[in-house]
Amino acid sequence: MKAVYLAETPYSLERVAQIIAGEQSTGTFTAVPGETDALKERHAARVEAIEALEEADAPSLPGSKLPQGHDGKYRRGYITVSFPLHNFGPSIPNLMSAVAGNLYELQELSGLRLVDLELPASFAGRYPGPKFGIEGTRKLAGVYGRPVLGTIVKPSIGLSPEELGKLVYDLALAGMDFIKDDELNANPPYFPLELKVKTVMEAVERAADVTGRKLMYAFNITGDIDELKANHDLVVRSGGTCVMVSILSVGLAGLAYLNSFSEVPIHGHRNQWGMLTRAPLLGFEFTAYQKLCRLAGADQLHVNGLNSKFYESNESVLRSIKACTTPLLGSYEAMPVVSSAQWAGTAPATYEATGSVDVMHLAGGGMLAHPDGPTAGFESMKLGWEAAVQGIPLSEYALSHPILQRAIDKYGKG
Amino acid sequence: MKAVYLAETPYSLERVAQIIAGEQSTGTFTAVPGETDALKERHAARVEAIEALEEADAPSLPGSKLPQGHDGKYRRGYITVSFPLHNFGPSIPNLMSAVAGNLYELQELSGLRLVDLELPASFAGRYPGPKFGIEGTRKLAGVYGRPVLGTIVKPSIGLSPEELGKLVYDLALAGMDFIKDDELNANPPYFPLELKVKTVMEAVERAADVTGRKLMYAFNITGDIDELKANHDLVVRSGGTCVMVSILSVGLAGLAYLNSFSEVPIHGHRNQWGMLTRAPLLGFEFTAYQKLCRLAGADQLHVNGLNSKFYESNESVLRSIKACTTPLLGSYEAMPVVSSAQWAGTAPATYEATGSVDVMHLAGGGMLAHPDGPTAGFESMKLGWEAAVQGIPLSEYALSHPILQRAIDKYGKG
């Protein structure tokens, strides 16, 4: 299996490539008895490729040591290392110790980012991956030919059972395909999950009696490992069709565990992810991380959104969307979840980039705070996508669709 | 419960403090119906304190947006925010979504680091924490009055059963208190855990028949959630006295799960941690993270070592050691594990800093590659600590202890 790193070093790229390969397989900081040539032949990681990039005048991260006679330059480049799979087997937890491990702390590096992982087929034998993916999500939500459109319960926290029940009922009548809990709201003592599931599912069923369509509600079941099964079973037993977890809260291992018994799609939220990715020469690129999320079973996976309230560039968001929809080991399809500061106006650019309506497009304030209310907010999102798919500029389409115009008036100033 | 952040922003600290509190409780990027004053009163996070630090001329992280009329300065400071516990309850996974969540991605911030967590007593009711800690580790290893001294199997990967059995036996006869698997070596296909446990425990028992003392071997049982119980039970059934996990591989939730049934101390390895901490204005400070590791049940916890091969400063290592040995909610004692490029020569400074011998001091190459072999290597570590505790300079103590002198000759050049 291969890992690709973006590295920065005051040494030569060749030197640190060897250090990376040694540190993560048979080597240590001083020669030890037993590291024979035969052992290295079978177990050493190997440097497969080095691609030099630009040089920098200052280190990206603190704590690197300098070689004697350092010329003041910090060399950057891509380093590809291959690892013998029999060193750790098709195990996500042990893969992480091998490809990340202590590398980020090495003094010979002033920057390191894991940018890609090439996983062998044996991972597919071990991890079944998403059971629902795009098609399964569409089938359960009853939405075809356009994005699954939805929203997030806001305020994130604090609604009473009466308020939440009314909100969900109203949103369902407004035509919503999908609603999710906020990542801040899982099983809070002031409003336990059991009561939430009961409250929400009553509203969903009552609305379905009117609309003939049952919306998908992603219940945030994030919790400790011994709570995941009970929380999941509670949702399924109550007729729910989706569970959500904060992937970094339960861990990739927790996600894979949930996937071992889940009976409905898993909505994978990536809060806390910024911690691992915002420094350009540290951490993890989402294009690599999303592979592990999909292996571990995320049917729906957050990727931020265009022009979001977050630091991430649109280019990076588009790379993430593309990565999630690129087959992994022949399959492992997950539906990208586009969210954060979204509204009808972000539909055209999203569609232009993806060339597909196989996305879940969520708007919080950008839909619920529409001047004419959530019904109009939802309608404005649909109109945004209609315009996008038909190739009509939004402002033109808005001429004959005042609800869209009012969305533009409110959200389009930024 | 309170969280303390080190923040950097092109806005005022007051402004971003409010944004942080809002984003992680009742707010979103635009006002929504339902965020009433009564709801905010009960559920909003509150800014408790702001302490301004220096200003910077450039942003630490990319992607921040600038306020109109920006003066070119990036303000840094500590921001303390309190969260109503009834928003998420005493749950580590949901605590993380609340205190970290999407904050790292906000455009209003050009840097954010979680530097401390003040956890309420209800966390103690939910998480029992380490069952063994310092005293339990000492009792099982049979070591009192000095550090638990040990080593790591090297080469990390690739030894045959015969080679590993012989190495462990020899190291046990050499007097070793403790041996751990490398984090790279858990349950590899070429040498499965079941065979490893059998091989190692036979060697440990045979050696104990000679020495009268059974060393503690930390078996790396890192794996998927459904493997942890079986792996743990295999170790305990075979007479093993310690299990090890890579905390970031199994997640804090996975660690707490293991702790729910573990019958031997848990050796908590922190590989991958650099990813979360090496950028000074991103991620997590270990002094905060270690609290969660202890709550989740780590009996022994890695903290790097002085003058290690890693980027971390000695000051930071000492802060980590101190943090791990500071009572948490009245208890939750974990034994700090000092390792990485350690040898006899790092004992005096470690002791000077800790003022205690309640540490686990591990050396790999710095002990096993001693010119006179592992027996001498172990003896040199003991001599280093004897000198330290007696306040005798190492070079002086070495005059009458040639084994120590030969360690100094080999490792003391750096």
Side-chain angles (χ1 to χ4, degrees), chain B residues 127-194:
Chain B
Y127 296 100
K131 296 172 192 141
F132 297 87
I134 294 168
E135 278 319 295
T137 294
R138 286 198 174 284
K139 193 170 168 190
L140 280 166
V143 180
Y144 296 94
R146 62 170 174 82
V148 176
L149 300 175
T151 191
I152 301 137
V153 172
K154 296 283 176 188
S156 311
I157 200 98
L159 293 179
S160 69
E162 295 68 33
E163 288 166 333
L164 179 63
K166 181 174 185 324
L167 179 64
V168 171
Y169 182 76
D170 290 348
L171 291 173
L173 287 194
M176 217 66 61
D177 304 322
F178 177 93
I179 304 176
K180 69 177 270 288
D181 276 332
D182 195 90
E183 69 272 15
L184 296 173
N185 195 321
N187 187 13
Y190 83 94
F191 191 170
L193 183 65
E194 186 159 3

Side-chain angles (χ1 to χ4, degrees), chain A residues 109 126-127 224 227 278, chain B residues 109 126-127 224 227 278:
Chain A
L109 290 161
R126 169 79 162 263
Y127 297 99
D224 281 307
E227 298 170 316
R278 188 163 172 181
Chain B
L109 290 161
R126 170 80 162 264
Y127 296 100
D224 280 307
E227 298 171 316
R278 188 162 171 182

Side-chain angles (χ1 to χ4, degrees), chain B residues 288-342:
Chain B
Y289 187 71
Q290 58 87 26
K291 291 185 181 180
L292 302 180
C293 296
R294 288 157 66 190
L295 269 184
D299 294 284
Q300 302 157 8
L301 190 53
H302 278 249
V303 292
N304 270 351
L306 296 174
N307 310 317
S308 80
K309 67 181 171 182
F310 296 127
Y311 83 96
E312 193 178 358
S313 70
N314 285 348
E315 292 67 30
S316 173
V317 173
L318 295 174
R319 270 203 307 279
S320 294
I321 293 174
K322 191 161 184 164
C324 284
T325 52
T326 300
L328 170 65
L329 297 170
S331 171
Y332 291 87
E333 223 169 42
M335 192 165 221
V337 181
V338 175
S339 74
S340 173
Q342 298 298 291

Side-chain angles (χ1 to χ4, degrees), chain B residues 351-408:
Chain B
Y351 180 65
E352 193 181 339
T354 59
S356 161
V357 294
D358 281 340
V359 295
M360 188 173 264
H361 199 189
L362 307 186
M367 178 152 64
L368 305 194
H370 188 284
D372 304 328
T375 310
F378 181 75
E379 190 61 27
S380 72
M381 288 283 282
K382 272 175 72 171
L383 291 167
W385 276 94
E386 281 176 22
V389 171
Q390 293 172 40
I392 302 171
L394 213 63
S395 55
E396 189 182 318
Y397 206 62
L399 293 177
S400 51
H401 296 90
I403 282 174
L404 181 56
Q405 186 57 54
R406 295 203 10 109
I408 294 171

Side-chain angles (χ1 to χ4, degrees), chain A residues 93-94 97, chain B residues 183 220 222 244-251 267-272:
Chain A
N94 289 305
S97 297
Chain B
E183 69 272 15
N220 184 357
T222 301
M244 159 179 160
V245 284
S246 296
I247 298 175
L248 286 114
S249 283
V250 301
H267 186 84
H269 200 281
R270 67 172 207 183
N271 68 81
Q272 304 158 57

